[in-house]
Amino acid sequence: MRNLIFITGMSGVGKSYIAAEIARLLKLHYLDGDHCHRARDLMKMKLGRGLSQSERSRYVRSVCATVTSLEKNDYTTRGVVCACSLLNKLDRARVKRIFKYSKIIQLVIPESQRIRRVHRRRGHFGKIKLAISQVESFQRYGYVDQVVRNHRPSRLTPIQRILKVLLSKNRTTAW
């Protein structure tokens, strides 16, 4: 599969919504990386505690294994858009090593806006304490193909800006 996009960032930046919309518009399979967490790790995050590096590494391996298995199914041959945190350079480097042709797009918003978004979410495991704990693990840039600020007024929405880059003539993969 040549069309593999990872939409990354901390909780509350809009990963799931933007990834689902891009998948719908490009007619690609959508994968919510939250479904790749182990039950024990989900419980830990529900309690507001962040994951250790070894737990994050296990999560990244699970995301990669899921994407690999999707690659082998006929219905996803067009590609996959995956919403997952990939908070640090090590995690993104691991994904790039496995999927050299992938695009990693990192979403960022001001911290105060991110916390407000997390606070308003209902039924999601990520709570305020978890959102705050992610700041320690988060590393901007490094193994990122594009950074999109999901908050600034612009003529183009974040989804339109991402699509513009993905569909530009200078792309390295066939979208």
Side-chain angles (χ1 to χ4, degrees):
M1 171 187 358
R2 302 298 296 173
N3 302 319
L4 179 54
I5 307 163
F6 290 91
I7 305 294
T8 71
M10 291 187 279
S11 61
V13 298
K15 296 182 300 285
S16 297
Y17 171 76
I18 288 177
E21 280 299 296
I22 289 175
R24 183 184 64 78
L25 292 168
L26 295 177
K27 296 178 176 44
L28 302 177
H29 183 79
Y30 169 65
L31 172 63
D32 187 342
D34 286 346
H35 299 296
C36 296
H37 282 293
R38 292 179 346 153
R40 178 190 304 166
D41 294 342
L42 282 173
M43 185 55 67
K44 182 177 180 180
M45 290 186 289
K46 281 181 184 178
L47 296 172
R49 298 196 323 255
L51 300 179
S52 68
Q53 181 56 49
S54 64
E55 290 164 331
R56 277 195 304 276
S57 293
R58 187 173 35 245
Y59 163 71
V60 171
R61 284 193 304 271
S62 176
V63 168
C64 291
T66 303
V67 169
T68 299
S69 73
L70 288 172
E71 282 185 309
K72 296 177 182 174
N73 293 320
D74 291 339
Y75 69 92
T76 61
T77 53
R78 278 192 43 82
V80 173
V81 180
C82 178
C84 60
S85 53
L86 299 181
L87 294 178
N88 61 45
K89 294 175 193 174
L90 179 66
D91 296 339
R92 294 188 297 269
R94 183 174 290 123
V95 166
K96 279 294 198 182
R97 255 192 327 273
I98 296 170
F99 305 109
K100 293 174 179 50
Y101 49 85
S102 66
K103 295 287 184 201
I104 297 179
I105 298 167
Q106 189 174 74
L107 301 177
V108 294
I109 63 174
E111 186 64 11
S112 59
Q113 186 178 357
R114 187 175 78 84
I115 296 301
R116 273 195 310 276
R117 284 182 177 188
V118 170
H119 184 68
R120 285 193 310 247
R121 286 196 300 207
R122 300 288 176 246
H124 192 275
F125 66 84
K127 304 295 182 220
I128 297 293
K129 284 172 64 177
L130 176 64
I132 292 168
S133 76
Q134 286 182 330
V135 173
E136 298 168 10
S137 308
F138 182 67
Q139 296 172 334
R140 228 181 234 192
Y141 315 119
Y143 301 98
V144 172
D145 296 298
Q146 181 183 8
V147 174
V148 174
R149 285 155 183 77
N150 191 14
H151 65 283
R152 293 193 177 161
S154 169
R155 290 180 315 191
L156 298 177
T157 68
I159 293 169
Q160 290 169 325
R161 283 182 274 165
I162 291 168
L163 288 173
K164 184 177 176 183
V165 169
L166 293 175
L167 300 173
S168 73
K169 292 182 179 177
N170 296 331
R171 66 189 187 272
T172 56
T173 57
W175 298 96

